[in-house]
Amino acid sequence: IPLGDGMTLLQALTIRWTANDSPMLALVSSARSDVPRFRIEIRDSAMRLVYDEVLDSAPRLMAVVDRAGNAMLLISDRGLSSLHRVGR
């Protein structure tokens, strides 16, 4: 998976928005150490980019699934106070 020039993979996880959906790949990468830039990408099962966000601090991704099998991707950026939902 090409991450772009000078980007380093920090985290990867798969997520299915519903139990019947194809899996998607969520990636966090960072720029060179002297550039405080971090990127979140979500790619579908064909590796097409479906979500792209650039941040100035390192995020952490967490997938949460409810009892019905519906998922949400939480992005923690600068602590738990800035969690937000991505997806449906």
Side-chain angles (χ1 to χ4, degrees), residues 9-15 25-29 39-42 51 53 55 58-64 72-77 83-84 86:
L9 182 65
L10 298 177
Q11 184 181 5
L13 60 87
T14 59
I15 187 167
L25 183 62
L27 305 166
V28 175
S29 58
R39 184 177 185 189
I40 299 169
E41 295 179 45
I42 299 177
Y51 180 84
E53 182 176 0
L55 303 166
R60 295 219 32 169
L61 303 181
M62 294 161 278
V64 179
M72 73 173 75
L73 184 65
L74 301 176
I75 301 170
S76 176
D77 174 30
L83 286 176
H84 59 96
V86 175

Side-chain angles (χ1 to χ4, degrees), residues 24-41:
M24 293 197 170
L25 183 62
L27 305 166
V28 175
S29 58
S30 67
R32 299 182 320 266
S33 61
D34 61 333
V35 179
R37 292 289 179 262
F38 301 86
R39 184 177 185 189
I40 299 169
E41 295 179 45

